Short mmCIF file of all heavy atoms in Angstrom, two decimals:
data_model
loop_
_atom_site.label_atom_id
_atom_site.label_comp_id
_atom_site.label_asym_id
_atom_site.label_seq_id
_atom_site.Cartn_x
_atom_site.Cartn_y
_atom_site.Cartn_z
N GLN A 44 140.48 -121.65 38.03
CA GLN A 44 139.16 -121.86 37.46
C GLN A 44 138.51 -123.12 38.00
O GLN A 44 137.31 -123.12 38.32
CB GLN A 44 139.25 -121.93 35.93
CG GLN A 44 137.89 -122.01 35.24
CD GLN A 44 136.98 -120.85 35.57
OE1 GLN A 44 137.43 -119.70 35.62
NE2 GLN A 44 135.70 -121.13 35.82
N SER A 45 139.28 -124.18 38.12
CA SER A 45 138.74 -125.42 38.68
C SER A 45 138.30 -125.21 40.13
O SER A 45 137.28 -125.74 40.57
CB SER A 45 139.78 -126.54 38.61
OG SER A 45 140.10 -126.85 37.26
N LEU A 46 139.08 -124.42 40.86
CA LEU A 46 138.72 -124.13 42.25
C LEU A 46 137.38 -123.39 42.31
O LEU A 46 136.50 -123.75 43.09
CB LEU A 46 139.81 -123.28 42.91
CG LEU A 46 139.49 -122.78 44.32
CD1 LEU A 46 139.41 -123.95 45.30
CD2 LEU A 46 140.55 -121.78 44.79
N LEU A 47 137.23 -122.36 41.49
CA LEU A 47 135.99 -121.59 41.50
C LEU A 47 134.79 -122.47 41.14
O LEU A 47 133.71 -122.32 41.73
CB LEU A 47 136.09 -120.42 40.53
CG LEU A 47 137.11 -119.32 40.90
CD1 LEU A 47 137.18 -118.27 39.80
CD2 LEU A 47 136.76 -118.68 42.24
N GLU A 48 134.98 -123.37 40.21
CA GLU A 48 133.89 -124.27 39.82
C GLU A 48 133.52 -125.21 40.96
O GLU A 48 132.33 -125.44 41.23
CB GLU A 48 134.30 -125.06 38.58
CG GLU A 48 134.41 -124.20 37.33
CD GLU A 48 135.00 -124.95 36.14
OE1 GLU A 48 135.37 -126.14 36.32
OE2 GLU A 48 135.09 -124.36 35.05
N ARG A 49 134.53 -125.74 41.65
CA ARG A 49 134.24 -126.66 42.75
C ARG A 49 133.57 -125.93 43.91
O ARG A 49 132.67 -126.47 44.57
CB ARG A 49 135.53 -127.34 43.23
CG ARG A 49 136.18 -128.26 42.20
CD ARG A 49 135.26 -129.42 41.81
NE ARG A 49 134.98 -130.30 42.92
CZ ARG A 49 135.71 -131.38 43.23
NH1 ARG A 49 136.79 -131.67 42.48
NH2 ARG A 49 135.39 -132.14 44.24
N VAL A 50 134.00 -124.71 44.19
CA VAL A 50 133.37 -123.92 45.25
C VAL A 50 131.92 -123.63 44.89
O VAL A 50 131.02 -123.70 45.75
CB VAL A 50 134.13 -122.60 45.49
CG1 VAL A 50 133.35 -121.71 46.45
CG2 VAL A 50 135.52 -122.88 46.07
N ALA A 51 131.67 -123.31 43.63
CA ALA A 51 130.30 -123.03 43.18
C ALA A 51 129.40 -124.25 43.35
O ALA A 51 128.22 -124.13 43.72
CB ALA A 51 130.30 -122.57 41.73
N ASP A 52 129.96 -125.43 43.11
CA ASP A 52 129.17 -126.66 43.21
C ASP A 52 128.88 -127.05 44.66
O ASP A 52 127.79 -127.53 44.97
CB ASP A 52 129.90 -127.82 42.52
CG ASP A 52 129.93 -127.68 41.00
OD1 ASP A 52 129.07 -126.93 40.48
OD2 ASP A 52 130.80 -128.29 40.36
N ASP A 53 129.88 -126.83 45.52
CA ASP A 53 129.73 -127.29 46.91
C ASP A 53 130.65 -126.46 47.81
O ASP A 53 131.76 -126.88 48.13
CB ASP A 53 130.10 -128.77 47.00
CG ASP A 53 129.85 -129.36 48.38
OD1 ASP A 53 129.09 -128.75 49.15
OD2 ASP A 53 130.43 -130.43 48.67
N PRO A 54 130.21 -125.28 48.24
CA PRO A 54 131.07 -124.36 48.99
C PRO A 54 131.65 -124.99 50.27
O PRO A 54 130.91 -125.56 51.06
CB PRO A 54 130.13 -123.19 49.33
CG PRO A 54 129.07 -123.26 48.30
CD PRO A 54 128.86 -124.72 48.03
N PRO A 55 132.96 -124.87 50.45
CA PRO A 55 133.61 -125.36 51.68
C PRO A 55 133.64 -124.26 52.73
O PRO A 55 133.10 -123.16 52.52
CB PRO A 55 135.02 -125.69 51.20
CG PRO A 55 135.29 -124.61 50.18
CD PRO A 55 133.95 -124.37 49.48
N ASP A 56 134.26 -124.54 53.86
CA ASP A 56 134.45 -123.51 54.88
C ASP A 56 135.61 -122.59 54.53
O ASP A 56 135.61 -121.40 54.88
CB ASP A 56 134.70 -124.16 56.24
CG ASP A 56 133.54 -125.01 56.70
OD1 ASP A 56 132.44 -124.45 56.86
OD2 ASP A 56 133.71 -126.24 56.87
N ALA A 57 136.62 -123.16 53.85
CA ALA A 57 137.81 -122.37 53.50
C ALA A 57 138.51 -122.99 52.30
O ALA A 57 138.35 -124.18 52.01
CB ALA A 57 138.77 -122.29 54.68
N VAL A 58 139.29 -122.15 51.61
CA VAL A 58 140.14 -122.65 50.53
C VAL A 58 141.57 -122.19 50.79
O VAL A 58 141.80 -121.13 51.36
CB VAL A 58 139.67 -122.14 49.13
CG1 VAL A 58 138.25 -122.60 48.85
CG2 VAL A 58 139.78 -120.64 49.02
N VAL A 59 142.51 -123.02 50.35
CA VAL A 59 143.93 -122.69 50.41
C VAL A 59 144.42 -122.66 48.96
O VAL A 59 144.32 -123.67 48.25
CB VAL A 59 144.73 -123.73 51.21
CG1 VAL A 59 146.21 -123.36 51.23
CG2 VAL A 59 144.19 -123.84 52.63
N VAL A 60 144.90 -121.50 48.51
CA VAL A 60 145.20 -121.34 47.09
C VAL A 60 146.56 -120.68 46.87
O VAL A 60 146.90 -119.72 47.56
CB VAL A 60 144.07 -120.53 46.40
CG1 VAL A 60 143.87 -119.18 47.09
CG2 VAL A 60 144.33 -120.35 44.92
N ASP A 61 147.33 -121.22 45.92
CA ASP A 61 148.60 -120.62 45.54
C ASP A 61 148.33 -119.32 44.81
O ASP A 61 147.37 -119.21 44.03
CB ASP A 61 149.36 -121.59 44.63
CG ASP A 61 150.77 -121.10 44.31
OD1 ASP A 61 151.23 -120.12 44.94
OD2 ASP A 61 151.40 -121.69 43.41
N ILE A 62 149.16 -118.30 45.02
CA ILE A 62 148.91 -117.01 44.39
C ILE A 62 149.18 -117.05 42.90
O ILE A 62 148.55 -116.33 42.12
CB ILE A 62 149.76 -115.90 45.07
CG1 ILE A 62 149.23 -114.51 44.68
CG2 ILE A 62 151.23 -116.04 44.70
CD1 ILE A 62 149.83 -113.39 45.50
N ARG A 63 150.11 -117.91 42.44
CA ARG A 63 150.48 -117.99 41.02
C ARG A 63 150.17 -119.38 40.48
O ARG A 63 150.75 -120.36 40.93
CB ARG A 63 151.95 -117.67 40.82
CG ARG A 63 152.30 -116.21 41.11
CD ARG A 63 153.78 -115.93 40.92
NE ARG A 63 154.06 -114.51 41.01
CZ ARG A 63 154.27 -113.85 42.14
NH1 ARG A 63 154.22 -114.50 43.28
NH2 ARG A 63 154.50 -112.56 42.14
N MET A 64 149.28 -119.43 39.49
CA MET A 64 148.89 -120.69 38.87
C MET A 64 148.64 -120.47 37.38
O MET A 64 148.66 -119.32 36.91
CB MET A 64 147.64 -121.25 39.57
CG MET A 64 147.88 -121.74 40.99
SD MET A 64 146.42 -122.56 41.69
CE MET A 64 145.30 -121.17 41.82
N PRO A 65 148.42 -121.55 36.62
CA PRO A 65 148.11 -121.40 35.20
C PRO A 65 146.86 -120.55 35.02
O PRO A 65 146.00 -120.52 35.89
CB PRO A 65 147.87 -122.85 34.73
CG PRO A 65 148.61 -123.69 35.73
CD PRO A 65 148.48 -122.96 37.04
N PRO A 66 146.73 -119.83 33.89
CA PRO A 66 147.61 -119.93 32.72
C PRO A 66 148.79 -118.95 32.73
O PRO A 66 149.76 -119.16 32.01
CB PRO A 66 146.66 -119.61 31.56
CG PRO A 66 145.68 -118.64 32.15
CD PRO A 66 145.46 -119.10 33.57
N THR A 67 148.74 -117.86 33.48
CA THR A 67 149.78 -116.83 33.38
C THR A 67 150.79 -116.88 34.51
O THR A 67 151.84 -116.24 34.43
CB THR A 67 149.15 -115.42 33.36
OG1 THR A 67 148.54 -115.15 34.63
CG2 THR A 67 148.10 -115.31 32.25
N HIS A 68 150.48 -117.60 35.58
CA HIS A 68 151.38 -117.70 36.73
C HIS A 68 151.71 -116.31 37.29
O HIS A 68 152.87 -116.00 37.58
CB HIS A 68 152.66 -118.45 36.38
CG HIS A 68 152.43 -119.89 36.05
ND1 HIS A 68 152.32 -120.87 37.03
CD2 HIS A 68 152.24 -120.52 34.87
CE1 HIS A 68 152.10 -122.04 36.46
NE2 HIS A 68 152.04 -121.86 35.15
N THR A 69 150.69 -115.47 37.43
CA THR A 69 150.90 -114.14 38.00
C THR A 69 150.09 -113.98 39.29
O THR A 69 150.64 -114.12 40.38
CB THR A 69 150.52 -113.05 36.99
OG1 THR A 69 149.17 -113.29 36.51
CG2 THR A 69 151.47 -113.04 35.81
N THR A 70 148.79 -113.70 39.16
CA THR A 70 147.97 -113.45 40.36
C THR A 70 146.66 -114.24 40.33
O THR A 70 145.65 -113.79 40.86
CB THR A 70 147.64 -111.95 40.49
OG1 THR A 70 146.92 -111.53 39.32
CG2 THR A 70 148.91 -111.13 40.64
N GLU A 71 146.68 -115.43 39.73
CA GLU A 71 145.44 -116.21 39.62
C GLU A 71 144.81 -116.50 40.98
O GLU A 71 143.59 -116.43 41.13
CB GLU A 71 145.70 -117.53 38.88
CG GLU A 71 145.83 -117.40 37.38
CD GLU A 71 147.20 -116.89 36.95
OE1 GLU A 71 148.10 -116.78 37.82
OE2 GLU A 71 147.38 -116.60 35.76
N GLY A 72 145.62 -116.82 41.96
CA GLY A 72 145.08 -117.12 43.28
C GLY A 72 144.46 -115.90 43.93
O GLY A 72 143.40 -115.98 44.56
#
Side-chain angles (χ1 to χ4, degrees):
Q44 185 57 42
S45 296
L46 174 66
L47 294 175
E48 291 172 357
R49 295 298 296 269
V50 172
D52 289 340
D53 185 18
D56 298 299
V58 300
V59 179
V60 56
D61 186 10
I62 195 169
R63 292 179 172 85
M64 290 187 293
T67 67
H68 294 277
T69 53
T70 60
E71 283 79 8

